[in-house]
Amino acid sequence: MRVVSLVPSLTEAVAATVPEVLVGATDWCTHPAGLTVARVGGSKYPDVAAVLALRPDLVLVNVEENREADADALRAAGVPLHVTYPRTVDEALDELGRLVAVLGAAGEPDWLVRARAAWAGLPAVAPRRAVVPVWRRPWVVLGSDTFAGDVLRRLGIANVYADADERYPRPSLDELHARAADLVVLPDEPYAFTRDDGPEAFPGVPFALVSGRHLTWYGPSLAEAPALLAAQLSSPA
């Protein structure tokens, strides 16, 4: 089997399970370190011709991360797609189980077994009301029905935009302030929030800088995500 992945977290999952089948990945596929497969452009704007030149038996895509036009172009060229769209941790774990089966893995890999165990039976904690920006200029925040929102919910973070009509609302800064959140959660991707870039917009509100990969990727990082994110969220500045 020859697999091209247009989803960074799935690239990591394949490389950690059946690396011999992976022949191509996007420029944004940064894990595992030292990955030497062919690069086919970005996840939003892949080089479809470069993907086809790799003669894939399967291309991995995600409804949220990849464009429908590129998926349609690959289908039109006769390339089978494996499409993912998890919006909860449970959906992600189940979709990963189906993926490794499609790839011919002999049972679930160790990282997936550990991920299931890590997310099972997390201790109940008092929820904190938080706003979760994922971009600025303009501000974009987590809204309803997102995988990252479910990750945070399980760790005791109540997203103040969880009931929004949109999955990624674009409120003004004044609107963000009006939500009177107890905490601002600032991931380092897709926007690279830092101690000096982001917290100053929310004076007087505690903030937590968290790993964007562990918040938004669904793959091997899920095994360590609960402990790492819980530690980052437990000590806001």
Side-chain angles (χ1 to χ4, degrees), residues 38-55:
R39 301 293 176 159
V40 295
S43 55
K44 287 296 184 189
Y45 296 97
D47 183 337
V48 173
V51 173
L52 296 176
L54 292 171
R55 297 177 290 106

Side-chain angles (χ1 to χ4, degrees), residues 151-164:
V151 167
L152 291 172
R153 180 189 64 80
R154 287 167 172 257
L155 296 173
I157 302 299
N159 177 11
V160 298
Y161 279 91
D163 59 353

Side-chain angles (χ1 to χ4, degrees), residues 89-90 93 114-125 150-157 222-230 233:
V89 171
D90 287 342
L93 293 170
R114 289 187 290 109
R116 291 189 188 279
W119 285 99
L122 290 176
V125 295
D150 190 56
V151 167
L152 291 172
R153 180 189 64 80
R154 287 167 172 257
L155 296 173
I157 302 299
L222 279 173
E224 58 188 14
L228 178 63
L229 292 172
L233 292 165

Side-chain angles (χ1 to χ4, degrees), residues 16 23 56 85 90 92 95 107 122 140 152 154 173 197:
V23 297
Y85 190 28
D90 287 342
E95 289 199 13
L122 290 176
V140 181
L152 291 172
R154 287 167 172 257
L173 190 56
D197 184 358

